[in-house]
Amino acid sequence: MAKDAKISNVVIKRLPRYRRYLQELQKKGVEKISSNEFSSLIGYTASQIRQDLNNFGRFGQQGYGYNVDELYYEISSILGLNQKHKMIIVGAGNLGQAICNYTEYYKSGFPVEAIFEINPKLIGMTISNIMVLDYEEMVEYVEKNDIDIGIICTTMDAAQEVADRLSFAGVKGIWNFAPVDIEVPGKVALENVHLSDSLHSLAYHMSKKKKENK
Amino acid sequence: MAKDAKISNVVIKRLPRYRRYLQELQKKGVEKISSNEFSSLIGYTASQIRQDLNNFGRFGQQGYGYNVDELYYEISSILGLNQKHKMIIVGAGNLGQAICNYTEYYKSGFPVEAIFEINPKLIGMTISNIMVLDYEEMVEYVEKNDIDIGIICTTMDAAQEVADRLSFAGVKGIWNFAPVDIEVPGKVALENVHLSDSLHSLAYHMSKKKKENK
């Protein structure tokens, strides 16, 4: 893992995908896999796979292939998934509730500890057993509870102010679902999910295919 | 729009973002904007903006700038958003429920008409006023109701079979949230949202920044 710093973002983006396929192999009881077999499964060339994984050290042996458990563990570790990340959600509207339900799935590694909201009607409710707290208490809560990730599910207008407060309070990462591009200090990691962009991109490709098929 | 066919995917991916910013300008009552002003807002260079928008015909006038309403309307039209897209969700688990709540927001342009499920315990329920129907009835429902988009919110294992049935039934697009890469016929548009990949990528960048700051 000494080479870690030099790895391109493109390779990093592929790691969760490797991990997903390895997890499936584990579930099926597969113990080892050659780069050729892995290639036909995941759709990258065998040489691409070897190159990608060589970035992180020596996995796999000539004539044996990759040990599925070992590779899964190593990729998880590179991704920082072998530790717990405590999260909070900001915004208890449709989107915040949706993300809260969705993240139930990740609760062992990425537990949602609380939801913060400015609307007094929603404060005090619970969503999937998670308390909705007053946004004014957020900074103190993050500091006291060592929260790692803030999930922004607010409107476009509020998102930057929320990101500023989260960064000030000391989160290490922000997962932004608000449909706007926000700025964060260099020490904070940021990942945007613009679901509406994805839906609109789908609509474009549908309308293009419709024209082609006329 | 005659040049439509030649436009690169990179430009297409930027259009929903242009549209989002134009929508904000509309809300604020802004009627026109120069490419320089637009540039400082959206973070692309003015020349990039001019190039992107020139792909679709002649917008904007020398010395005047872009008419916000007109540009918003044109981009919406290019994206195929000036027509209604009827959607169904497949899978009424946490993810399906989350997406159903989330899409409430889009109901004027992208209404969810029904949710399909194999688990008999969930069939007959309603989620955000949408009926959960038997998966066995899906193909007939899609055909009878001219459904445009199928949203896959199933497990990894079921996703490809669902995509096959949706394509057979005649949907024009598939929005896939199952954490697996599926294949669709050429006439069907496909957009994947791998939320877990996004979360894992965030975790990686957090762990990298932590090492850098040590």
Side-chain angles (χ1 to χ4, degrees), chain B residues 105-127:
Chain B
Y105 181 71
Y106 299 107
K107 65 182 166 199
S108 61
F110 294 88
V112 172
E113 303 286 334
I115 304 173
F116 290 89
E117 174 57 52
I118 47 164
N119 182 346
K121 284 182 193 161
L122 299 174
I123 296 167
M125 280 176 53
T126 61
I127 297 166

Short mmCIF file of all heavy atoms in Angstrom, two decimals, chain B residues 105-127:
data_model
loop_
_atom_site.label_atom_id
_atom_site.label_comp_id
_atom_site.label_asym_id
_atom_site.label_seq_id
_atom_site.Cartn_x
_atom_site.Cartn_y
_atom_site.Cartn_z
N TYR B 105 -40.91 14.29 -5.90
CA TYR B 105 -40.42 15.59 -6.30
C TYR B 105 -40.58 15.83 -7.81
O TYR B 105 -40.72 16.96 -8.26
CB TYR B 105 -38.95 15.64 -5.90
CG TYR B 105 -38.24 16.93 -6.20
CD1 TYR B 105 -38.52 18.08 -5.47
CD2 TYR B 105 -37.28 16.98 -7.20
CE1 TYR B 105 -37.85 19.26 -5.74
CE2 TYR B 105 -36.61 18.15 -7.47
CZ TYR B 105 -36.89 19.29 -6.75
OH TYR B 105 -36.24 20.45 -7.03
N TYR B 106 -40.51 14.73 -8.58
CA TYR B 106 -40.55 14.83 -10.04
C TYR B 106 -41.91 14.49 -10.61
O TYR B 106 -42.02 14.28 -11.81
CB TYR B 106 -39.53 13.86 -10.66
CG TYR B 106 -38.13 14.16 -10.25
CD1 TYR B 106 -37.47 13.33 -9.35
CD2 TYR B 106 -37.49 15.26 -10.77
CE1 TYR B 106 -36.19 13.62 -8.96
CE2 TYR B 106 -36.20 15.55 -10.38
CZ TYR B 106 -35.55 14.73 -9.48
OH TYR B 106 -34.30 15.01 -9.11
N LYS B 107 -42.94 14.42 -9.75
CA LYS B 107 -44.15 13.75 -10.22
C LYS B 107 -44.82 14.42 -11.41
O LYS B 107 -45.51 13.74 -12.16
CB LYS B 107 -45.13 13.49 -9.08
CG LYS B 107 -45.71 14.69 -8.44
CD LYS B 107 -46.63 14.25 -7.28
CE LYS B 107 -46.95 15.45 -6.43
NZ LYS B 107 -47.43 15.06 -5.11
N SER B 108 -44.58 15.71 -11.61
CA SER B 108 -45.22 16.31 -12.78
C SER B 108 -44.63 15.77 -14.09
O SER B 108 -45.36 15.44 -15.01
CB SER B 108 -45.10 17.83 -12.74
OG SER B 108 -43.75 18.20 -12.74
N GLY B 109 -43.32 15.62 -14.17
CA GLY B 109 -42.69 15.16 -15.40
C GLY B 109 -42.40 13.67 -15.44
O GLY B 109 -42.35 13.06 -16.50
N PHE B 110 -42.19 13.09 -14.27
CA PHE B 110 -41.82 11.67 -14.19
C PHE B 110 -42.67 10.96 -13.13
O PHE B 110 -42.15 10.53 -12.10
CB PHE B 110 -40.33 11.54 -13.82
CG PHE B 110 -39.36 12.06 -14.84
CD1 PHE B 110 -38.98 13.40 -14.85
CD2 PHE B 110 -38.83 11.22 -15.81
CE1 PHE B 110 -38.08 13.89 -15.79
CE2 PHE B 110 -37.93 11.70 -16.75
CZ PHE B 110 -37.56 13.03 -16.75
N PRO B 111 -43.96 10.82 -13.39
CA PRO B 111 -44.82 10.20 -12.37
C PRO B 111 -44.55 8.70 -12.21
O PRO B 111 -44.34 8.00 -13.20
CB PRO B 111 -46.23 10.42 -12.92
CG PRO B 111 -46.04 10.52 -14.39
CD PRO B 111 -44.71 11.19 -14.60
N VAL B 112 -44.52 8.23 -10.96
CA VAL B 112 -44.44 6.78 -10.71
C VAL B 112 -45.87 6.24 -10.69
O VAL B 112 -46.70 6.69 -9.90
CB VAL B 112 -43.74 6.48 -9.37
CG1 VAL B 112 -43.84 4.99 -9.03
CG2 VAL B 112 -42.28 6.91 -9.42
N GLU B 113 -46.17 5.29 -11.58
CA GLU B 113 -47.54 4.81 -11.73
C GLU B 113 -47.82 3.59 -10.85
O GLU B 113 -48.96 3.37 -10.44
CB GLU B 113 -47.79 4.43 -13.21
CG GLU B 113 -47.55 5.57 -14.20
CD GLU B 113 -48.64 6.63 -14.16
OE1 GLU B 113 -49.78 6.29 -13.77
OE2 GLU B 113 -48.37 7.81 -14.50
N ALA B 114 -46.80 2.77 -10.62
CA ALA B 114 -47.01 1.56 -9.81
C ALA B 114 -45.67 1.02 -9.35
O ALA B 114 -44.62 1.38 -9.91
CB ALA B 114 -47.75 0.50 -10.62
N ILE B 115 -45.72 0.18 -8.32
CA ILE B 115 -44.52 -0.50 -7.83
C ILE B 115 -44.79 -2.01 -7.95
O ILE B 115 -45.90 -2.46 -7.66
CB ILE B 115 -44.24 -0.14 -6.36
CG1 ILE B 115 -44.13 1.37 -6.20
CG2 ILE B 115 -42.99 -0.83 -5.85
CD1 ILE B 115 -44.03 1.82 -4.75
N PHE B 116 -43.81 -2.77 -8.40
CA PHE B 116 -43.99 -4.21 -8.54
C PHE B 116 -43.05 -4.95 -7.60
O PHE B 116 -41.92 -4.52 -7.35
CB PHE B 116 -43.77 -4.64 -9.99
CG PHE B 116 -44.88 -4.15 -10.88
CD1 PHE B 116 -44.79 -2.89 -11.48
CD2 PHE B 116 -46.02 -4.90 -11.06
CE1 PHE B 116 -45.83 -2.41 -12.25
CE2 PHE B 116 -47.06 -4.42 -11.83
CZ PHE B 116 -46.97 -3.18 -12.43
N GLU B 117 -43.55 -6.08 -7.09
CA GLU B 117 -42.85 -6.77 -6.01
C GLU B 117 -43.20 -8.26 -6.08
O GLU B 117 -44.29 -8.61 -6.51
CB GLU B 117 -43.34 -6.13 -4.68
CG GLU B 117 -42.88 -6.75 -3.41
CD GLU B 117 -41.37 -6.84 -3.23
OE1 GLU B 117 -40.66 -5.82 -3.39
OE2 GLU B 117 -40.89 -7.96 -2.95
N ILE B 118 -42.26 -9.11 -5.66
CA ILE B 118 -42.59 -10.55 -5.61
C ILE B 118 -43.04 -10.99 -4.22
O ILE B 118 -43.74 -11.98 -4.08
CB ILE B 118 -41.44 -11.47 -6.06
CG1 ILE B 118 -40.11 -11.08 -5.38
CG2 ILE B 118 -41.27 -11.48 -7.57
CD1 ILE B 118 -39.05 -12.16 -5.48
N ASN B 119 -42.63 -10.25 -3.19
CA ASN B 119 -42.97 -10.64 -1.82
C ASN B 119 -44.47 -10.42 -1.55
O ASN B 119 -44.92 -9.28 -1.52
CB ASN B 119 -42.12 -9.80 -0.86
CG ASN B 119 -42.36 -10.17 0.60
OD1 ASN B 119 -43.33 -10.87 0.93
ND2 ASN B 119 -41.49 -9.70 1.46
N PRO B 120 -45.24 -11.53 -1.35
CA PRO B 120 -46.69 -11.41 -1.16
C PRO B 120 -47.07 -10.52 0.02
O PRO B 120 -48.15 -9.92 0.03
CB PRO B 120 -47.17 -12.85 -0.93
CG PRO B 120 -45.98 -13.73 -0.97
CD PRO B 120 -44.76 -12.91 -1.22
N LYS B 121 -46.19 -10.40 1.01
CA LYS B 121 -46.49 -9.56 2.18
C LYS B 121 -46.58 -8.08 1.81
O LYS B 121 -47.22 -7.30 2.50
CB LYS B 121 -45.41 -9.73 3.26
CG LYS B 121 -45.55 -11.03 4.02
CD LYS B 121 -44.48 -11.13 5.10
CE LYS B 121 -44.41 -12.55 5.65
NZ LYS B 121 -43.14 -12.80 6.34
N LEU B 122 -45.85 -7.68 0.76
CA LEU B 122 -45.83 -6.26 0.38
C LEU B 122 -46.87 -5.93 -0.69
O LEU B 122 -47.30 -4.78 -0.82
CB LEU B 122 -44.43 -5.87 -0.11
CG LEU B 122 -43.30 -6.03 0.91
CD1 LEU B 122 -41.95 -5.76 0.28
CD2 LEU B 122 -43.51 -5.09 2.10
N ILE B 123 -47.29 -6.95 -1.46
CA ILE B 123 -48.26 -6.71 -2.54
C ILE B 123 -49.59 -6.26 -1.92
O ILE B 123 -50.06 -6.85 -0.96
CB ILE B 123 -48.45 -7.98 -3.39
CG1 ILE B 123 -47.13 -8.32 -4.10
CG2 ILE B 123 -49.56 -7.81 -4.42
CD1 ILE B 123 -47.09 -9.70 -4.72
N GLY B 124 -50.17 -5.19 -2.48
CA GLY B 124 -51.43 -4.67 -1.94
C GLY B 124 -51.22 -3.45 -1.05
O GLY B 124 -52.16 -2.70 -0.79
N MET B 125 -49.99 -3.26 -0.57
CA MET B 125 -49.68 -2.05 0.21
C MET B 125 -49.68 -0.82 -0.70
O MET B 125 -49.68 -0.94 -1.92
CB MET B 125 -48.26 -2.15 0.79
CG MET B 125 -48.11 -2.98 2.04
SD MET B 125 -46.33 -3.06 2.50
CE MET B 125 -45.87 -1.32 2.56
N THR B 126 -49.67 0.36 -0.08
CA THR B 126 -49.37 1.56 -0.86
C THR B 126 -48.15 2.27 -0.24
O THR B 126 -47.96 2.24 0.98
CB THR B 126 -50.54 2.57 -0.89
OG1 THR B 126 -50.81 2.99 0.45
CG2 THR B 126 -51.79 1.98 -1.50
N ILE B 127 -47.34 2.85 -1.10
CA ILE B 127 -46.18 3.63 -0.66
C ILE B 127 -46.31 5.00 -1.31
O ILE B 127 -46.38 5.09 -2.54
CB ILE B 127 -44.86 2.95 -1.09
CG1 ILE B 127 -44.74 1.57 -0.41
CG2 ILE B 127 -43.65 3.82 -0.77
CD1 ILE B 127 -43.67 0.68 -0.99
#
